[in-house]
Amino acid sequence: MGQIWLERLLRWNAKIQKLLVGRYARMDELNNTLMKASLVLLLLNLFLPTSIAFWIAVALLVWINYRFFSKRIYPRSNENTRYVLRIQQLKKKFETTKIKLKERKIYTYFKCPTCKQQLRVPKGKGKIKVTCSTCKEQFNKIV
């Protein structure tokens, strides 16, 4: 009896492997985020009087399946790469904003008028001559 179930399981596993040959078949960062968002929306749907959250969650699940079973491997990989880069940019922007907020009493932040490079000078120095580290432009600033 146990041998029959093992054979069926192995046949089923072979069919699944045959189905996934040549397909993207990855749960990458984008698919994981979409899955988490759909689960949150499904939980949110329990408390909302409308079913909009449910249909958005279903659309996300359809998109996950489309990406998972897609035979266009390189475009799916590029989508994931663009998503990861965008998330890294957002994290970097958040960290710099956090640092600026933490140091707001010590430093003044401004941009170079020529190259738009972010510059930092100590507060309370009065009128100073600033040299941009990138373009070497010199200008006066009151801090």
Side-chain angles (χ1 to χ4, degrees), residues 14-109:
K15 287 180 184 179
I16 295 293
Q17 285 180 354
K18 187 176 179 182
L19 171 74
L20 295 179
V21 166
R23 301 194 185 261
Y24 186 62
R26 292 187 185 102
M27 283 301 289
D28 54 11
E29 292 287 328
L30 180 56
N31 274 352
N32 284 334
T33 304
L34 292 173
M35 181 68 73
K36 290 173 187 174
S38 65
L39 290 176
V40 167
L41 286 171
L42 287 173
L43 288 175
L44 188 65
N45 185 50
L46 297 173
F47 303 107
L48 293 177
T50 64
S51 63
I52 283 184
F54 173 77
W55 290 111
I56 293 172
V58 168
L60 289 177
L61 290 172
V62 167
W63 188 17
I64 291 169
N65 283 320
Y66 169 73
R67 290 189 79 246
F68 191 83
F69 291 108
S70 175
K71 288 188 175 184
R72 299 179 65 201
I73 294 171
Y74 294 112
R76 301 295 82 82
S77 180
N78 290 339
E79 287 173 358
N80 185 55
T81 304
R82 285 193 308 267
Y83 170 75
V84 169
L85 288 175
R86 191 164 291 143
I87 291 298
Q88 287 176 349
Q89 289 172 349
L90 286 173
K91 284 181 181 179
K92 184 176 179 182
K93 190 172 186 177
F94 179 74
E95 288 296 321
T96 56
T97 305
K98 185 177 167 183
I99 290 170
K100 283 183 188 179
L101 189 64
K102 185 178 178 183
E103 297 179 344
R104 71 183 183 277
K105 294 181 181 179
I106 304 168
Y107 297 104
T108 300
Y109 291 90

